[in-house]
Amino acid sequence: ASANTSSMKRRRARKDWIYNKNTWKTLIVPGGLILAIFILGRIVDLQSYFETAQQWSWRLGAWGPVAFGALYIVAMLFLLPGTPFTILAALLFGTLWGYVTMLSATTIAATVAFFMSRYVAKDRLEKQLSGLDDYHKVRRWVETNHWLAIPFLRVMPMFPFAINNYVLGLTNIPFWIYMIASMAIFVPMTGVMIFGAQSLYRAMVAGEVAWGMIGGAVAAGLVILLLGMTGKKVFMRDDQGQAEQ
């Protein structure tokens, strides 16, 4: 009977993950942006607009990426979607500087949110976030298995990226562990999104099909998706194990 109950709980948890709104947000938001760019690219001369925006950002010099990164940080602190910023960074600043801008901004946003939730607004955030599904389970998992839990949480669509920063700040893990474990995902994931956005821009708007870059971005994206699915299974297994203790 115990085995059947555990199996039913795992199946229910997998079903909940499939129908979780954050799961679909992770897939729909980037997909919707890509579709919008594709459609607009066939109706409007987007390339000229993007080139104008690029020239404007280049005239700003170093202040362009700085201002863009600051805007992204504010958006993350207010729990706004970050994917549009990553795509725009690739289009405005190119692959290299888009990557540097977004990796730096992502790191700073994660740092600020961590210290805000731990020292500035801990009680208020804990009251608001404790109502989230799986909040207490995730927090317990992070505190008992942080080196595995944090990287997986960065690719698992259980909570949006911005909420993850606050949730992790409410745990008892040291900041240096939080940052190292997070950077293990920030570095490759930012690269995947920047390269993917740049490749799609060239293919859909500029008409340059860089199959190597597209293939690499798709392959890396599939690896990240697989890691997320694996992380969800590990989370369910660990949670089940703790519930049976």
Side-chain angles (χ1 to χ4, degrees):
S2 177
N4 290 334
T5 302
S6 299
S7 178
M8 289 177 62
K9 287 182 177 179
R10 286 194 294 269
R11 287 198 296 269
R12 189 181 302 115
R14 283 194 291 267
K15 183 178 179 181
D16 291 343
W17 180 71
I18 291 173
Y19 291 104
N20 188 301
K21 63 182 180 180
N22 290 326
T23 301
W24 292 106
K25 281 182 182 179
T26 303
L27 300 174
I28 290 174
V29 171
L33 287 171
I34 291 170
L35 181 61
I37 293 174
F38 179 79
I39 294 174
L40 286 174
R42 295 296 179 271
I43 301 174
V44 182
D45 184 12
L46 286 182
Q47 185 173 2
S48 62
Y49 286 103
F50 282 133
E51 289 176 351
T52 301
Q54 288 170 350
Q55 292 170 4
W56 176 78
S57 66
W58 292 336
R59 283 197 296 268
L60 292 175
W63 288 109
V66 170
F68 188 89
L71 185 61
Y72 170 83
I73 293 168
V74 172
M76 290 300 95
L77 295 178
F78 283 94
L79 306 180
L80 298 176
T83 302
F85 286 90
T86 306
I87 294 175
L88 283 175
L91 303 182
L92 291 176
F93 309 117
T95 303
L96 176 60
W97 288 110
Y99 177 79
V100 172
T101 300
M102 290 311 302
L103 182 60
S104 301
T106 299
T107 304
I108 295 172
T111 300
V112 173
F114 180 90
F115 285 113
M116 282 185 61
S117 62
R118 177 155 297 188
Y119 300 112
V120 179
K122 181 177 181 179
D123 294 338
R124 181 178 179 181
L125 285 169
E126 191 159 21
K127 182 179 180 180
Q128 292 179 338
L129 297 177
S130 61
L132 294 174
D133 294 338
D134 293 328
Y135 166 77
H136 295 287
K137 295 179 181 179
V138 167
R139 182 170 175 174
R140 183 170 62 246
W141 187 40
V142 170
E143 292 176 347
T144 57
N145 199 1
H146 38 259
W147 288 115
L148 179 65
I150 295 174
F152 277 136
L153 283 172
R154 290 303 187 184
V155 295
M156 290 164 54
M158 294 185 69
F159 302 135
F161 169 80
I163 293 180
N164 260 336
N165 294 331
Y166 288 123
V167 170
L168 292 171
L170 293 173
T171 65
N172 61 9
I173 59 171
F175 171 72
W176 67 272
I177 291 178
Y178 162 82
M179 187 51 62
I180 292 175
S182 296
M183 291 300 292
I185 297 300
F186 289 169
V187 171
M189 181 174 285
T190 303
V192 169
M193 296 186 69
I194 291 293
F195 274 100
Q198 189 65 248
S199 301
L200 288 169
Y201 164 72
R202 291 181 179 178
M204 294 182 176
V205 178
E208 303 172 3
V209 182
W211 292 111
M213 291 181 65
I214 293 176
V218 170
L222 290 174
V223 169
I224 290 175
L225 180 61
L226 179 62
L227 285 174
M229 295 173 65
T230 303
K232 185 64 177 180
K233 291 181 180 178
V234 172
F235 168 73
M236 291 188 295
R237 184 198 64 195
D238 289 355
D239 179 59
Q240 184 64 34
Q242 292 177 0
E244 293 174 354
Q245 289 180 355

